[in-house]
Amino acid sequence: MADWLPGGTAPCPHRLAEVRQRLRRSLEAVPGLPQAEPGGRVLACSKTFEQLARLAAAQRKTPQAARQLALPQLRTSVSLLAAAGPSRRSKLPGISRHRAEQSLAGALIAQALMEACGAKNVEICPWSTREGLLLERLGMPHTTTGHPRAH
């Protein structure tokens, strides 16, 4: 992505369309890409999805809804991030200063992945993959609220 969006700069619309097309093609080439089941839960456990959910919730002025991210909200966030340079992005709600440069690339990848998997929305999991696996190995049931569940 660094070659496609050098320095995290906001690309012209043509370049943005080209990046989206490359991502789409790359994901189409992945054999056995999982598809979201109708009515099923899709979890996202990454700092990128977490920041995008916070940005989308702030746009809707519903910060308590930052645990979910719907595809239309993500598309709006991609447009907002593409219209701003990294220094302006760092001032957006939910986007940290040290991740502002990569936030547009992360949003584009998140959008392409959700579209390729047929996920209309994702639930943001507060545990990283590593933390979740560790809790599983320790036999500690956990919830998506971010706190281990008491036995």
Side-chain angles (χ1 to χ4, degrees):
M1 277 306 255
D3 293 340
W4 300 345
L5 303 170
T9 56
C12 67
H14 174 73
R15 183 66 168 166
L16 195 58
E18 186 178 271
V19 170
R20 282 186 169 119
Q21 182 63 26
R22 283 185 172 192
L23 287 169
R24 203 172 297 121
R25 276 193 223 126
S26 294
L27 288 169
E28 286 170 356
V30 174
L33 190 68
Q35 293 297 301
E37 294 181 24
R41 290 172 68 189
V42 177
L43 299 178
C45 57
S46 77
K47 187 62 86 176
T48 298
F49 271 101
E50 199 173 319
Q51 289 193 13
L52 292 168
R54 275 188 260 149
L55 177 60
Q59 296 299 310
R60 295 186 328 270
K61 296 181 177 32
T62 55
Q64 68 277 11
R67 304 314 301 161
Q68 299 259 336
L69 181 62
L71 193 51
Q73 297 161 348
L74 177 55
R75 289 181 180 127
T76 300
S77 294
V78 168
S79 296
L80 181 65
L81 293 167
S87 63
R88 198 165 129 228
R89 286 183 211 138
S90 68
K91 294 172 179 54
L92 294 172
I95 306 298
S96 65
R97 183 181 50 79
H98 72 279
R99 294 175 64 95
E101 189 174 301
Q102 67 191 33
S103 62
L104 175 58
L108 287 165
I109 292 169
Q111 179 184 347
L113 188 57
M114 284 179 69
E115 290 171 349
C117 293
K120 293 183 183 357
N121 59 61
V122 295
E123 183 178 331
I124 307 303
C125 178
W127 301 103
S128 72
T129 303
R130 178 181 59 235
E131 291 166 326
L133 290 173
L134 180 60
L135 288 171
E136 292 267 328
R137 289 295 274 164
L138 292 173
M140 295 180 65
H142 51 280
T143 67
T144 58
T145 62
H147 304 289
R149 198 178 321 150
H151 285 281

